[in-house]
Amino acid sequence: LFLNNCLLNVYAKCGSVEGAKKLFHSVDCRDIVSWNTLIDAYSMLGDVKKVSELFLRMRDEGIEPDGLSYVSVFSAVAGRGNVEVGRAVHAQMVTSGVELTKQAETSLLVMYSRCKKLKEALQIFERSDDKDLMLWTSMISGLLKNGSADQALRFFWQMLASGVKPSKETLACVLASCAKLGDIKLGTSIHCYTLRHKMAAGISLQNSLVSMYVKCGRLKQGFRVFSMMPERNVVSWNAILVGYAHNGYLTEALHFFSELRIACEEPDYITVACLLQACASVGAYQQGKWIHNFVVRSCLLPCIKISTTLVEMYSKCGDLVS
RNA sequence: AUUCGAGCUUAAC
C-alpha cells in the first residue's frame, strides 16, 4: 500500500492523471492517502466534476474525508468558480467535525475570494484565531483582487503590527496594491525593503515591481527593473507593455510585443487585449488590424475578452462593419 | 520526504 501510494504520487506529480487513475483502480487496497492523492491530481487539473465525484465516492466506500481531502475540493472550486459546490462542502466539513486545519482555512478563504465572495472570505479571516503568513497574504491578495486595494494596504500594516513578517509573495501583493493606487512612495520603500532584506529576487516580485513603477508613471524605473531581470515570463512582458501602452506609447508597446516573440515567449490573451485597447484609445486602425490578424493566425483560444476588445478597437477606429 | 494551503500582468470611468 505504501509503495503504491508513492507511485500514485509520482504519477500525480508528473501530471499523469491517467496513470494515477489506472494504478488507483488496479489495486483493491486503498486508504485515505490514495484517495487524497488522486483527488488532488484532478484538483490541480481544475477538474471540479471529477473531484466532487471522487469525494462523494470515497465516503460511499467508507473512507471519511480528512482535512486534506477538503483542501483539494476547495482549491478545485477556487479555480473554476462554482461557489455553491464549495459552500455545500464547507457546510459538510463543519457538520462532520473534521478539524479545520490552517491549510483548509486558507484554501477556504482563497476559494471565497476567487469566487468574488469577499464577505465570506473576510469572515473566514476574522474567525481565525491564529493568522499565519499564508492567511494574511491570501486575505491581502483577495482584497486587492476584489477591488479594495486601499483595504489591502491597511491589512498589510495590521499584519506587520501583529508581528508576522511578509514574504516575497506578500510584498508582490502590496506592490500590486501600490500600482493600483498610484502609491509610488510606499512602492519605492517596499522596493528598498526587498533590497535590504535580500528579497529582491523572484520573478513574481520583480514583475510586480515593474508593474508598480510603470503604473505610477515611472517608465524608466520600470524598464530598469525589467531589463535587469534574469528571467522573464509572459507576465513580465505584459506588465512592461501595458505600462507603455497606458502611458500613451503605442509604438513602444508594439516594440515590446515583437521583442516578446523574439524571446520565444508566447503572448496570451492579456497581451493581445491590452494592445487592442491601446490601439482603440488612439484610433490606430492599421495596428489594430495587424493585431487582429495575429490573433487569427495564433493558437490563442477565442475568448470574450479578446472579442470585446476587438469590437472596441474597430468601433473606436470607425470601422463599424468589421 | 506516501497525500495538503498563499503570490505577480488584463488602469480609471
Side-chain angles (χ1 to χ4, degrees), chain A residues 10 12 32 38 41 66-67 83 99 143 198 205 259 262:
Chain A
V10 170
I32 177 98
L38 190 65
D66 63 6
V83 218
E99 191 201 353
L143 289 165
K198 311 250 179 298
L205 183 87
E259 291 282 313
I262 292 167

Side-chain angles (χ1 to χ4, degrees), chain A residues 16-233:
Chain A
S16 171
V17 239
E18 282 310 310
K21 188 176 144 192
K22 263 199 193 135
L23 178 64
F24 183 86
H25 289 107
S26 68
V27 293
D28 38 28
C29 178
R30 301 170 203 131
D31 63 2
I32 177 98
V33 175
S34 330
W35 282 95
N36 284 348
T37 307
L38 190 65
I39 290 179
D40 197 57
Y42 281 109
S43 174
M44 290 192 295
L45 283 182
D47 193 336
V48 194
K49 241 185 130 82
K50 267 290 190 209
V51 169
S52 349
E53 195 183 302
L54 284 169
F55 183 79
L56 292 175
R57 194 130 54 87
M58 80 187 278
R59 309 191 79 201
D60 287 345
E61 297 200 6
I63 309 257
E64 271 308 304
D66 63 6
L68 305 187
S69 328
Y70 283 99
V71 168
S72 296
V73 180
F74 298 146
S75 306
V77 173
R80 275 302 173 91
N82 191 347
V83 218
E84 293 315 322
V85 175
R87 280 207 184 99
V89 177
H90 181 188
Q92 189 197 307
M93 185 182 192
V94 174
T95 50
S96 75
V98 171
E99 191 201 353
L100 184 66
T101 58
K102 296 309 297 170
Q103 292 96 323
E105 207 169 44
T106 305
S107 57
L108 256 179
L109 192 157
V110 170
M111 177 189 81
Y112 284 124
S113 147
R114 292 234 260 259
C115 294
K116 311 273 176 224
K117 305 295 173 197
L118 190 54
K119 276 206 183 115
E120 277 152 291
L122 278 164
Q123 207 168 68
I124 302 288
F125 181 80
E126 273 149 18
R127 285 186 186 163
S128 170
D129 43 25
D130 174 34
K131 300 175 175 60
D132 68 0
L133 175 62
M134 301 282 230
L135 198 74
W136 275 107
T137 306
S138 307
M139 193 65 254
I140 291 170
S141 165
L143 289 165
L144 170 68
K145 288 282 161 61
N146 285 283
S148 307
D150 50 342
Q151 209 181 348
L153 290 184
R154 283 200 293 277
F155 273 62
F156 174 60
W157 297 123
Q158 283 177 35
M159 173 184 138
L160 297 182
S162 78
V164 175
K165 295 258 178 298
S167 64
K168 287 178 189 176
E169 290 79 2
T170 320
L171 296 178
C173 285
V174 175
L175 284 165
S177 308
C178 294
K180 189 143 279 179
L181 299 169
D183 192 339
I184 181 69
K185 207 159 164 255
L186 179 59
T188 308
S189 46
I190 299 284
H191 190 178
C192 295
Y193 180 95
T194 63
L195 295 169
R196 274 202 311 276
H197 291 80
K198 311 250 179 298
M199 292 170 87
I203 197 159
S204 296
L205 183 87
Q206 297 185 335
N207 287 344
S208 46
L209 272 173
V210 171
S211 176
M212 185 276 293
Y213 279 123
V214 298
K215 285 279 171 59
C216 293
R218 307 295 201 276
L219 294 182
K220 284 226 173 74
Q221 281 279 33
F223 182 69
R224 187 180 300 167
V225 177
F226 177 83
S227 57
M228 293 197 314
M229 288 174 72
E231 204 105 53
R232 302 183 186 100
N233 58 17

